[in-house]
Amino acid sequence: MGSIGIFDSGYGGLTILDGIRQRMPEYDYIYLGDNARAPYGTRSFDVVYEFTLQAVKKLFEKGCPLVILGCNTASAKALRSIQQKYLPTAAPDRRVLGVIRPTAEIVGELSHTKHIGVLATEGTIKSESYNLEIAKLHPGTTIVGQACPMWVPLVENNEFDKPGADYFVKDSLEKLMAQDPLIDTIILGCTHYPLLLPKIKQQLAHLSTLNAQPSTIKIIPQGQYIAASLEDYLHRHPEMDTRLTRGGICQYLTTESATKFRESASLFLHEEVEVQHITLN
Ligand code: DGL
């Protein structure tokens, strides 16, 4: 018996945790942020795999039967190897799930034009994970991606709601829409990006005015969809569901200083949290 583990390179996965806890508050959770080594977005496949595996092992050690990689970059670069190479021999009774497939599943139903844009870190865009998953699930869909290298630093440095953020949000959105003006659905394929949502909506409205088009573009933050997908998974896997404890408690672990995490986490969660410092190796 144990908690659901949620892993992210930093604070972004808190948007996923928040979505999950809103839908399923009765379960226990352990959130692990590898804040000392974030961001992962520009790191190589090998390094992201190594770091993510260390985090998964730590969450297993803490008793989690199920771990969600609440990070698109880790889901894109490490999930498949963990599921195919590590789990079968080292931890056959545990499960690790990611955030890309559940997002790809719902997005096909939301787009009318079948032209979808993905905004994400450089690592996620280069991996083409969204393109591959969406093409498999929704053939005939056109998918274009745009890396937004400044967006995670804007959030991590608490600049996401300041005027300086407008330039970078506008720049990345213009680049995305220039690739394919028929896009009617945009995936926020990075867990940090929901904090920029007010600016994204503002800049998109501005862009559509310039193009003399009504703003009908849907923007998809992931939290609520990952929560729905996890709930569905647990219904389909009662053998896993019965191994999860239900006390409504959430513990927080970070590789950075606990004080720093506590301060920054309040931006995402709007509440004070108890945090423990850990090391990964
Ligand atoms: N949270 C990560 C994601 O969803 C991005 C942050 C990072 O680059 O580490 O991709």
Side-chain angles (χ1 to χ4, degrees):
M1 296 286 283
S3 309
I4 298 173
I6 301 192
F7 166 68
D8 185 48
S9 57
Y11 300 108
L14 293 171
T15 61
I16 303 291
L17 173 72
D18 196 36
I20 293 177
R21 285 192 84 199
Q22 278 187 33
R23 195 168 183 120
M24 293 180 285
E26 67 276 22
Y27 291 93
D28 292 323
Y29 299 93
I30 303 180
Y31 183 87
L32 194 169
D34 190 7
N35 303 78
R37 300 188 295 193
Y40 281 13
T42 47
R43 292 190 186 271
S44 69
F45 266 85
D46 288 350
V47 170
V48 173
Y49 174 67
E50 187 193 330
F51 288 181
T52 305
L53 183 59
Q54 289 170 357
V56 166
K57 285 181 184 172
K58 178 64 81 179
L59 287 165
F60 285 171
E61 247 173 70
K62 298 275 177 191
C64 300
L66 173 66
V67 171
I68 314 293
L69 301 185
C71 172
N72 289 271
T73 310
S75 298
K77 292 184 163 188
L79 179 64
R80 190 176 295 252
S81 300
I82 290 176
Q83 287 175 333
Q84 294 178 356
K85 291 188 202 151
Y86 178 73
L87 290 183
T89 49
D93 61 332
R94 315 276 183 124
R95 291 290 174 272
V96 179
L97 306 173
V99 289
I100 291 180
R101 192 175 168 101
T103 312
E105 275 169 5
I106 55 110
V107 83
E109 295 152 24
L110 299 174
S111 171
H112 294 299
T113 60
K114 301 295 169 205
H115 287 251
I116 293 169
V118 181
L119 298 169
T121 64
E122 191 188 309
T124 301
I125 296 298
K126 277 196 181 148
S127 75
E128 301 210 325
S129 299
Y130 273 106
N131 308 51
L132 298 170
E133 285 294 341
I134 295 171
K136 233 188 297 170
L137 294 163
H138 311 289
T141 306
T142 303
I143 307 126
V144 293
Q146 178 64 45
C148 312
M150 289 307 291
W151 289 20
V152 168
L154 284 171
V155 173
E156 292 274 330
N157 293 296
N158 199 6
E159 291 287 330
F160 60 91
D161 55 355
K162 308 285 188 310
D166 291 318
Y167 169 81
F168 295 104
V169 170
K170 180 170 178 277
D171 184 55
S172 297
L173 284 173
E174 277 177 357
K175 284 177 179 156
L176 178 75
M177 296 310 293
Q179 289 188 64
D180 181 357
L182 294 179
I183 290 170
D184 72 345
T185 307
I186 297 178
I187 298 173
L188 300 187
C190 171
T191 53
H192 283 67
Y193 296 177
L195 274 84
L196 288 158
L197 203 51
K199 294 230 182 263
I200 296 169
K201 285 185 176 160
Q202 209 181 334
Q203 292 300 336
L204 265 182
H206 184 59
L207 268 181
S208 55
T209 322
L210 291 181
N211 297 335
Q213 276 174 7
S215 175
T216 52
I217 297 174
K218 289 185 225 64
I219 306 163
I220 313 296
Q222 297 173 294
Q224 72 194 82
Y225 299 108
I226 304 305
S229 165
L230 177 59
E231 190 176 53
D232 177 57
Y233 174 85
L234 294 176
H235 280 145
R236 287 184 289 108
H237 295 274
E239 76 291 352
M240 174 55 78
D241 195 37
T242 52
R243 292 168 63 197
L244 300 171
T245 53
R246 289 160 168 81
I249 292 166
C250 187
Q251 297 173 53
Y252 296 87
L253 310 175
T254 178
T255 53
E256 246 291 353
S257 101
T259 314
K260 190 169 185 306
F261 185 94
R262 203 175 298 117
E263 282 166 13
S264 299
S266 62
L267 291 175
F268 290 80
L269 296 174
H270 312 290
E271 64 175 6
E272 288 293 312
V273 294
E274 277 307 304
V275 191
Q276 191 191 336
H277 169 78
I278 49 136
T279 49
L280 292 178
N281 46 47

